[in-house]
Each structure stands twice: as C-alpha cells, then as structure tokens.
C-alpha cells in the first residue's frame, strides 16, 4: 500500500529489487554501529592504558617500591607506544 496516491505522476513506481536493497541497508546499520562502538571501546581502552602508564612517572620511589617496580621500569613502561600491548 502506497502513501502517495497512484494518480500522482511525479513519483515513479519502485522495482521489486529496490525493496531488498532498502532492507539490506536497514540491516547493516546496526552492524556498522557495532563496529564503530567496538572501535571506540578499543580506543578508550588504549587511552586508559596509556594514562596509567604515564601515571607511573608521577609515583614516588616508595610507591613504586610498594608495587614492585623500579624507577627504570616505570620510565620504560611509560615510554611504550600507544599500540603496545
């Protein structure tokens, strides 16, 4: 059933294949959203990891000793790349 009256000549009728394309597009939107959410979560995870590595540099020698990390180890860890696991 069409919303537009059949007598309106400005709107062409749609071939049957177009309906399946519209369905596929509507099905792919949630998948695309899931991919973007996954990428965003990954970036947030990496950012938090980078922040915690840099926080090691702010700890005192006593605090580092409490967690079993030397100053050299803290510098090495803080200097790791964003993508380093």
């Amino acid at each position: 059933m069409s919303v537009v009256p059949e007598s309106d000549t400005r709107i062409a009728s749609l071939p049957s294949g177009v309906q399946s394309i519209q369905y596929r597009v509507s099905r792919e939107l949630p998948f695309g959203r899931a991919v973007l959410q996954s990428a965003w979560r990954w970036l947030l995870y990496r950012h938090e990891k980078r922040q915690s590595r840099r926080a090691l540099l702010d700890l005192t020698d006593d605090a580092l000793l409490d967690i079993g990390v030397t100053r050299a180890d803290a510098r090495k860890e803080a200097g790791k790349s964003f993508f380093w696991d």
Side-chain angles (χ1 to χ4, degrees):
M1 176 175 203
S2 175
V3 176
V4 180
E6 295 282 336
S7 62
D8 194 347
T9 57
R10 293 177 293 157
I11 299 175
S13 61
L14 299 173
S16 63
V18 173
Q19 292 175 347
S20 65
I21 291 172
Q22 290 173 341
Y23 178 71
R24 272 190 252 132
V25 169
S26 66
R27 272 187 68 195
E28 291 181 55
L29 285 177
F31 175 74
R33 178 180 283 171
V35 169
L36 288 175
Q37 286 176 344
S38 176
W40 183 252
R41 273 189 246 117
W42 182 83
L43 284 171
L44 285 176
Y45 167 75
R46 291 296 180 172
H47 178 69
E48 289 171 2
K49 197 168 198 173
R50 182 76 175 139
Q51 282 183 324
S52 63
R53 282 182 174 148
R54 289 201 170 195
L56 286 173
L57 295 177
D58 295 333
L59 295 177
T60 64
D61 288 335
D62 290 334
L64 289 172
L65 183 62
D66 286 344
I67 61 173
V69 178
T70 65
R71 179 62 58 191
D73 291 339
R75 273 191 238 110
K76 182 179 175 183
E77 190 68 25
K80 287 184 178 178
S81 169
F82 175 82
F83 295 102
W84 191 268
D85 197 291

